[in-house]
Amino acid sequence: MGFSSQGWGGTLRRVGVLAVSVAALLAAGLVQAQSGPVRLMVGFPPGGGTDAIARTLADKLKDQLGMPVVVENKAGAGGQLAAQALKAAAPDGLTLFLSHDHTISILPQVVKNPGYDSAKDFVPVAGFATFVNALAVSGGTPAKSVNDYVAWVKAQGAGKGTVGVPAPASTPEFLVKVIGQKYRLDLQSAPYRGSAPMMADMLGNQIAAGTGSVPDFIENHKAGKIRVVAVLGGARQAILPDVPTFAELGLAGFEDLPYYGIFAPAGTPKATVDKFSDALAKVLTQPDVKERLTAMGLTVGFMDQATLAKREQAYTKVWAKLIKDSGFVAQ
């Protein structure tokens, strides 16, 4: 079968247009995104607050994106392993990282060689909430307030006590140090690999107190298994109206609220980032999602790429001063 010169030229033109279209889609990261599930990495074990948040969002994001979104727990070193994996991932729209402030803003300042640079290796996709950290006591202690806990520690061990933290060199660990200084207690941090194992020890009365995010504590607090006795931030939390802030108790300096966001590898095309950002914005408008996240202790609010980037930079700056003033030396 032969081709006329006109027919052959038309075929070439059509092929050329198709090639350009495919190239454009590849540049946008859209063709690859259709070829497999999106990995939404979490730097902590299953069962903790961050894991529950990720699974809530992943379930809804898959409907908006029209493709599977699979939560992958890559626990270890306060999210450091997941962050390193994000850096190494191809910028093809198939790998995202859901994280809070610790891994993005704080950890790179307290670890000498974290294996990533948040500003250079990651692209902010969108933020979706702020939250506060808190001090909670286990059911095995009689304490119902911070003052009760201080008195109990002094009575039990001459002012010596151990407080669980979900990750080393984190906001909760710095909080333990500040609480000890304020109340003249010899408090030692006990770092865990995430909030879930810390909570297990608190529920088993293996450890008398723990610091972490409100989402880590709220379910067991509501069940009466532990007691949140104080929260950070500039105002009491609607979900914990009877729990005072540390500022009310005379411990200031932790009013700037940490955040949750989603990040992609550097080099991810803007079209791909926009696609995920738009999908998250739509998910957050769904009443059941907002209700679920609020019940976990989050203040839900969408932050686009630029807003999340500014918040990350501002929070990093705040913590640079706090870390310097504390005398902490990068390990």
Side-chain angles (χ1 to χ4, degrees), residues 76-321:
Q80 188 175 345
L81 298 184
Q84 292 171 351
L86 183 71
K87 176 184 176 180
D92 56 7
L94 294 178
T95 305
L96 299 173
F97 180 33
L98 185 147
S99 179
H100 50 53
D101 62 294
H102 172 67
T103 310
I104 302 298
S105 295
I106 299 175
L107 199 150
Q109 301 189 70
V110 297
V111 175
K112 286 184 179 179
N113 298 299
Y116 63 94
D117 182 326
S118 300
K120 296 179 180 179
D121 298 326
F122 306 152
V123 175
V125 174
F128 57 88
T130 58
F131 64 97
V132 298
N133 286 291
L135 172 68
V137 296
S138 67
T141 71
K144 296 183 179 179
S145 68
V146 172
N147 287 337
D148 287 349
Y149 171 69
V150 171
W152 182 83
V153 171
K154 289 181 176 179
Q156 294 295 310
K160 295 183 179 181
T162 302
V163 182
V165 298
S170 58
T171 301
E173 183 163 11
F174 281 99
L175 177 59
V176 172
K177 182 176 181 179
V178 173
I179 292 172
Q181 291 172 342
K182 175 175 174 56
Y183 294 101
R184 298 182 180 180
L185 300 175
D186 182 9
L187 295 181
Q188 300 298 316
S189 298
Y192 285 80
R193 293 186 61 181
S195 60
M198 179 185 76
M199 184 57 61
D201 277 1
M202 288 184 68
L203 294 174
N205 295 315
Q206 300 301 309
I207 192 166
T211 54
S213 70
V214 169
D216 292 335
F217 294 136
I218 192 64
E219 183 177 343
N220 287 301
H221 172 83
K222 288 180 177 179
K225 297 177 181 179
I226 64 167
R227 291 181 293 280
V228 176
V229 294
V231 297
L232 297 180
R236 293 193 181 196
Q237 297 298 293
I239 198 169
L240 295 167
D242 297 327
V243 178
T245 67
F246 275 106
E248 290 178 60
L249 302 174
L251 198 161
F254 291 89
E255 288 74 33
D256 197 57
L257 297 181
Y259 59 86
Y260 265 108
I262 293 177
F263 301 84
T268 301
K270 186 177 184 304
T272 304
V273 172
D274 289 344
K275 178 183 65 171
F276 287 125
S277 180
D278 292 345
L280 181 60
K282 292 175 182 176
V283 165
L284 294 179
T285 65
Q286 299 176 19
D288 60 328
V289 173
K290 186 171 184 179
E291 180 180 348
R292 172 64 175 152
L293 295 179
T294 300
M296 293 180 189
L298 300 180
T299 299
V300 180
F302 176 74
M303 293 175 272
D304 61 19
Q305 182 179 10
T307 303
L308 177 58
K310 289 179 181 177
R311 180 155 191 82
E312 174 195 340
Q313 292 162 7
Y315 197 81
T316 299
K317 186 176 180 180
V318 167
W319 270 92
K321 184 177 185 306

Side-chain angles (χ1 to χ4, degrees), residues 5-69:
S5 59
Q6 182 177 4
W8 179 248
T11 299
L12 288 176
R13 283 193 297 273
R14 288 192 294 274
V15 170
V17 170
L18 178 61
V20 170
S21 298
V22 170
L25 288 172
L26 286 171
L30 299 180
V31 168
Q32 296 97 318
Q34 299 298 325
S35 64
V38 175
R39 289 191 304 157
L40 183 61
M41 291 194 300
V42 173
F44 298 95
T50 301
D51 176 70
I53 291 164
R55 293 181 189 281
T56 296
L57 294 178
D59 185 56
K60 299 292 185 176
L61 282 171
K62 71 176 181 5
D63 297 330
Q64 292 294 328
L65 297 169
M67 69 184 78
V69 178

